[in-house]
Amino acid sequence: MLSRGVKQLGRLRPCSQGILPSFACRGFASPTLPELTKDRYPHVKRGEFAKLDQNHLKFFRDLLGENRVLNDPSDCEIYNVDWNRNVRGYSDCVLKPKTTQEVSQILSFCNEHRLAVSPQGGNTGLVGGSVPVFDEIVLSLSLMNNIISVDDTSGILVCEGGCVLEYLDEQLANHGLMMPLDLGAKGSCQIGGNVSTNAGGLRLLRYGNLQGNVLGIEAVKANGEILDCLSALKKDNTGFHLKHLFIGSEGALGVVTKVAIQCPAKPQAVNLAFLGVKSFDNILTTFRRAKRELGEILSSFEMIDEQSIGAVMGHLKVKSPIDNHPFYVLFETQGSNDAHDQEKIHRFLENIMGDGTVLDGTVTNEPSKMRAIWDLRERIAEAFLHDGYVFKYDITLPLEKFYSIVDVMRERLGSDVLRCCGYGHIGDGNIHFTVTTKEFSKDILKRIEPFVYEFTSELKGSISAEHGIGFRKPQYIHYSKSDAAIHLMKELKKLMDPKGILNPYKVLP
Amino acid sequence: MLSRGVKQLGRLRPCSQGILPSFACRGFASPTLPELTKDRYPHVKRGEFAKLDQNHLKFFRDLLGENRVLNDPSDCEIYNVDWNRNVRGYSDCVLKPKTTQEVSQILSFCNEHRLAVSPQGGNTGLVGGSVPVFDEIVLSLSLMNNIISVDDTSGILVCEGGCVLEYLDEQLANHGLMMPLDLGAKGSCQIGGNVSTNAGGLRLLRYGNLQGNVLGIEAVKANGEILDCLSALKKDNTGFHLKHLFIGSEGALGVVTKVAIQCPAKPQAVNLAFLGVKSFDNILTTFRRAKRELGEILSSFEMIDEQSIGAVMGHLKVKSPIDNHPFYVLFETQGSNDAHDQEKIHRFLENIMGDGTVLDGTVTNEPSKMRAIWDLRERIAEAFLHDGYVFKYDITLPLEKFYSIVDVMRERLGSDVLRCCGYGHIGDGNIHFTVTTKEFSKDILKRIEPFVYEFTSELKGSISAEHGIGFRKPQYIHYSKSDAAIHLMKELKKLMDPKGILNPYKVLP
């Protein structure tokens, strides 16, 4: 059972697409079972929660039946370890409700008996948010995986929180629709988890964020109360918009049991271009003009620097279809008419190459060639691991300063590191800043942190672009949020979950 | 001064485009000054708030100077009356801060002294949410109208809450950008008010809602605390997403002083089509296929029934470019290449007219002809007034049932009314259901209400699609929201504004 992380690796695309699902994407990851979190992070103390006893188990078994209450430590292990094998709890109780009513009864009981709960979707999170820190009961949504309705005309999907993202996308294809989000972890991650973590991903530039696309939510509060805000309507201005309490709050304010999402039509044409440019400024110029000239069909716009692509080409022998350049751009279009899209792309490329902004480029709509180009982008993180040790940061910076973190860090680190580079989603201002060394070095770590967070904070950037705070980053949240904001978050937590049973030790400092 | 409502009428497009700015759009409106709200709605009692005295005024004058504290009843009058002249407060204090700090000091003082406050943007709201009910101090954001930054590359605008929507759109045009929302009231409404009311409008189908487009908010809480969530980043997952407390909460949880919004590129091509069809089912088929075949360029999709267009053609002598039909569709495209867009539109129309789904149609990109077609849609509400009395409801229904309210109501009302009809935003499921009579009739009112809300509720629709709850609808909110949701809203209100000084008597029952 413990090899699940490895076995599923093949199905998942690497981190470049959003939520990181694999070892390959984390510098600190290891294929062996991690230390228990309580030992690795001894400063975090277990809260004043009850310890699971036979009476509690009897209640759960009476409610769910024997099969949906896991109590054997070996059965529970995969629910205790995160995808990165970075953190590990020691819960010996995993509950698998099939209905919102059951979730409600579980939480009501846990709240009454002060039992801490760790809600879990596909367990593909990257900040230790989806597994127990100590012995919290795991509330797995996996069996709540029914599609409730798909409205072909409005494009509105209503489903349970445990539906796997890729499954939803496949089912929507039968209706000529697609999910408005696409993540590397799509084969495992669940829509309830996506919503709870406000997952981003590759399609955000074109199809927008979950805050715009989620129309309704049914959630269960810590006290078991069911909150029905499952409006499947594009417009509904009747009171405060409570659904947003649950989008991106990482399960700390409630458990998302159902969602209504608006889904765009599946594109009839997809094209992919790969370009070489001389400077980061040229990338910005290209992006600015692509937004204007490709406008409505632009669906992705990514950048890669020379050191990043060098890792893929060197370590993984992936070939580039164009010559070497200091920077690369990969952009994708999705549209309803291939001839029109190609004409737009060719005209755009003629102009932008004609004036020297872009030095070199190729464009294709052949699936195998598109796959090969995507590999150059998506396998970067995997390639870095071959250097030895990877220090990786997922931050948002204002676009004009997007690449400045790399320049500044190169000055600070000099030749003491193997690589200091960056790549990421230009369209979202989200850079994956990366440093590699032969092996882990405390000295290098100290020269990177907390400087990288201070630098991000000074530029009013975000220290977590899309991965959330989880267990790993609460102590850094003040770099992105004011004291007043953190205080209000704590007040909200107290209001929604006065006993603090939902996903304790996470999100808030 | 009292003619402001009338004088500004000419600059505003009618209600069909979103928030209703004019008399013409409300059945109950009258050109004379309305009764005081305290007299018209005697069941609403003034809260236990302090009454304004000279000491309070001295504090405000010391803070803002004489000119930015209005105290003369005639100066205050336009701030007391809503656009529809439906409600009227009797505040004799209007404050006009220029900075967030001033807003903070005002609210801190009012909170300490238990003075009730009515925050006000452009005062174009339609549910009595933006004017005092009794003698609440009016906090006008009009002088906080500075653009702070426009990032050409990311398309992110940061500005103060008092900026007028049309002004922002004009300024963005210099950067090749546009606002992602378009409202009838654009010449007067302010972005802070738009955000506070989660305004919808005509572009929502294409550019999404404010919940997706607003990236950051600076707001001042009831106690004067400034909450800086003004992240101008597309991705920022650091803690609970507090900005959503202020989007659509109608000023009851805080005052929006600054916003960051992502803005799309201005389209280079716009086309407008006007079609005649036989049945409502044919409208849905046309919409479904337009979404697929026009996909990325579709920017608006509206429907009009025969009785609605009959009012415009009969009363206002607006001419239709096509023959009479039971139903009409108006759709607009916005794109980056006019030749491509026209080719897509013509192919779509050939197909959909070829198989008889659409009986008749015309398409144009000439501004004057587009204006003439838009008039057929936008002047409907104005035309209804010529019938006599108008009962008007702004509701969202599931698309398949969009028109059912008209069919059901025709059965209920029979020939006792002049018109019973509907038109609206198919793309958003938002119908403007309308009944007209020669004069006001209590009997007809009773046959419409509360049935129309019960009907909407049974179909899980929304009793307020885009106008909000304000002062006029708190007693109906339970038709769209559960008791648990309303209870949580009340708890949030208590948390954010324990003394209840912000926009009292509104939103919540």
Side-chain angles (χ1 to χ4, degrees), chain A residues 153 175 235-236 292 462 466, chain B residues 175 236 288 292 462 466:
Chain A
T153 311
H175 300 263
K235 288 181 177 169
D236 175 28
R292 299 260 158 81
S462 171
E466 52 187 9
Chain B
H175 300 263
D236 176 27
R288 214 175 279 128
R292 299 259 158 82
S462 170
E466 54 186 9

Side-chain angles (χ1 to χ4, degrees), chain A residues 92-167:
Chain A
D92 52 6
C93 180
V94 176
L95 305 179
K96 296 191 157 189
K98 278 188 174 174
T99 66
T100 303
Q101 275 305 330
E102 288 178 352
V103 174
S104 166
Q105 286 172 271
I106 290 167
L107 289 183
S108 169
F109 182 84
C110 290
N111 191 54
E112 192 189 337
H113 294 83
R114 209 178 269 273
L115 287 161
V117 175
S118 176
Q120 190 174 97
N123 194 10
T124 61
L126 297 163
V127 286
S130 58
V131 293
V133 175
F134 297 96
D135 57 345
E136 301 94 279
I137 289 169
V138 175
L139 182 66
S140 167
L141 274 284
S142 300
L143 298 184
M144 290 188 65
N145 55 5
N146 294 301
I147 290 177
I148 295 162
S149 64
V150 181
D151 184 324
D152 288 17
T153 311
S154 66
I156 297 172
L157 161 77
V158 182
C159 68
E160 291 181 329
C163 290
V164 170
L165 180 59
E166 191 169 57
Y167 168 75

Side-chain angles (χ1 to χ4, degrees), chain A residues 291-493:
Chain A
K291 276 181 61 167
R292 299 260 158 81
E293 295 172 38
L294 301 173
E296 65 276 11
I297 60 171
L298 191 63
S299 56
S300 194
F301 196 101
E302 305 281 310
M303 68 78 66
I304 310 171
D305 69 4
E306 197 172 15
Q307 287 191 18
S308 299
I309 211 163
V312 192
M313 292 171 66
H315 291 307
L316 306 181
K317 310 299 172 204
V318 180
K319 285 201 168 59
S320 167
I322 63 174
D323 285 342
N324 289 354
H325 296 282
F327 291 95
Y328 301 85
V329 163
L330 179 159
F331 74 79
E332 188 198 60
T333 64
Q334 298 192 345
S336 58
N337 183 310
D338 200 36
H340 290 170
D341 294 1
Q342 288 201 34
E343 197 186 316
K344 285 189 183 88
I345 294 167
H346 285 119
R347 193 176 303 171
F348 167 68
L349 289 178
E350 255 174 49
N351 291 339
I352 201 120
M353 292 175 77
D355 67 14
T357 305
V358 168
L359 301 173
D360 196 3
T362 183
V363 60
T364 181
N365 66 355
E366 283 181 42
S368 65
K369 290 185 181 167
M370 290 199 287
R371 188 66 260 158
I373 292 174
W374 271 120
D375 274 354
L376 283 167
R377 165 69 182 81
E378 295 186 3
R379 297 188 66 189
I380 293 171
E382 177 190 350
F384 284 151
L385 281 199
H386 293 259
D387 277 358
Y389 199 86
V390 185
F391 300 87
K392 192 174 167 60
Y393 301 89
D394 169 47
I395 57 182
T396 304
L397 291 173
L399 262 188
E400 301 294 334
K401 298 286 187 182
F402 185 91
Y403 198 68
S404 61
I405 182 68
V406 179
D407 291 332
V408 168
M409 276 294 184
R410 279 187 186 155
E411 287 250 341
R412 279 177 77 87
L413 300 172
S415 58
D416 298 341
V417 299
L418 292 176
R419 272 177 235 270
C420 177
C421 53
Y423 63 99
H425 318 287
I426 283 283
D428 312 326
N430 178 192
I431 185 168
H432 298 291
F433 163 63
T434 309
V435 173
T436 69
T437 51
K438 250 199 152 56
E439 52 200 17
F440 176 71
S441 153
K442 259 197 175 159
D443 170 59
I444 296 295
L445 181 62
K446 276 188 193 162
R447 283 154 76 186
I448 302 175
E449 295 184 30
F451 179 84
V452 61
Y453 296 124
E454 288 164 0
F455 185 88
T456 303
S457 176
E458 266 167 38
L459 291 174
K460 292 199 155 237
S462 171
I463 61 137
S464 184
E466 52 187 9
H467 297 167
I469 296 295
F471 174 72
R472 306 261 325 267
K473 293 189 182 174
Q475 70 273 33
Y476 303 123
I477 194 172
H478 65 279
Y479 284 110
S480 280
K481 288 292 184 287
S482 68
D483 288 347
I486 295 168
H487 178 71
L488 180 53
M489 288 181 201
K490 287 181 175 175
E491 287 186 318
L492 278 175
K493 172 71 177 175

Side-chain angles (χ1 to χ4, degrees), chain B residues 30-91:
Chain B
S30 140
T32 61
L33 208 56
E35 257 183 301
L36 285 174
T37 305
K38 75 176 176 67
D39 298 330
R40 181 172 283 182
Y41 301 91
H43 63 280
V44 180
K45 303 296 180 203
R46 187 178 180 284
E48 296 291 313
F49 300 108
K51 293 202 175 178
L52 188 80
D53 64 27
Q54 288 305 317
N55 289 330
H56 303 141
L57 279 170
K58 182 178 180 319
F59 173 85
F60 295 135
R61 285 183 181 130
D62 287 349
L63 178 68
L64 304 175
E66 289 283 338
N67 288 343
R68 296 195 278 126
V69 179
L70 309 187
N71 182 226
D72 183 288
S74 70
D75 288 344
C76 296
E77 199 148 49
I78 58 165
Y79 299 91
N80 275 304
V81 183
D82 76 331
W83 271 107
N84 297 319
R85 308 207 160 201
N86 244 276
V87 286
R88 178 155 69 104
Y90 55 92
S91 174

Side-chain angles (χ1 to χ4, degrees), chain A residues 292 296, chain B residues 176-178 203 206-207 264-270 333-337 341:
Chain A
R292 299 260 158 81
E296 65 276 11
Chain B
L177 299 167
M178 64 180 217
R203 288 175 183 166
R206 167 71 170 276
Y207 298 105
K266 210 171 163 60
Q268 284 154 46
V270 179
T333 65
Q334 297 191 347
S336 58
N337 184 310
D341 293 2

